Amino acid sequence: MAYREPNDLGSIALSDEGLAVTTSGSPEVLVPWDEIDSVAVDVTEIMGEVHRAVVFDHVSGEFFEISDRADGWEEAIEHLGDHMALLVDAPLEVCREARPDAEPIELARRREG
């Protein structure tokens, strides 16, 4: 396997323990699943370029977002239903079809119990 520079926009990976996130060269942070209330996709347009981000609402009331340009983004969205209760049938497709003029679309919520 060839060496590859890490993505400057970070990475996202899912595990049974939680969501592992790195951003802009910061160390990896693991957020346990029971600390994530909900997940939504938010789309903006900046200077004619469409940017998609998945927004994770933390139980503390804080949130963090991960750009669709981060490593592992599509795979994480595809497997979100393995760890949370999905509110849409095809979250990755919903993310791809979301438009900048729309409100954020909630994809999943924390499983109760």
Side-chain angles (χ1 to χ4, degrees):
M1 179 184 266
Y3 174 75
R4 188 176 105 146
E5 286 293 321
N7 184 335
D8 286 344
L9 293 170
S11 67
I12 181 173
L14 310 183
S15 71
D16 288 340
E17 291 77 35
L19 180 71
V21 177
T22 61
T23 56
S24 302
S26 66
E28 183 175 274
V29 173
L30 179 68
V31 183
W33 289 113
D34 63 353
E35 292 183 13
I36 299 173
D37 258 343
S38 65
V39 180
V41 63
D42 190 21
V43 183
T44 56
E45 186 173 340
I46 302 169
M47 297 176 59
E49 189 174 338
V50 175
H51 295 269
R52 288 177 172 74
V54 173
V55 180
F56 294 88
D57 288 325
H58 191 267
V59 294
S60 68
E62 297 292 321
F63 71 92
F64 59 96
E65 56 185 52
I66 304 297
S67 168
D68 64 344
R69 292 163 176 89
D71 289 336
W73 193 83
E74 284 194 3
E75 184 176 350
I77 302 307
E78 284 179 352
H79 294 284
L80 194 57
D82 296 346
H83 307 283
M84 299 186 77
L86 290 179
L87 302 176
V88 297
D89 289 332
L92 185 56
E93 192 66 28
V94 169
C95 289
R96 288 179 179 151
E97 292 176 359
R99 298 289 170 237
D101 55 351
E103 292 292 317
I105 302 168
E106 193 170 18
L107 302 174
R109 289 203 151 270
R110 181 170 39 127
R111 289 183 178 151
E112 297 300 325

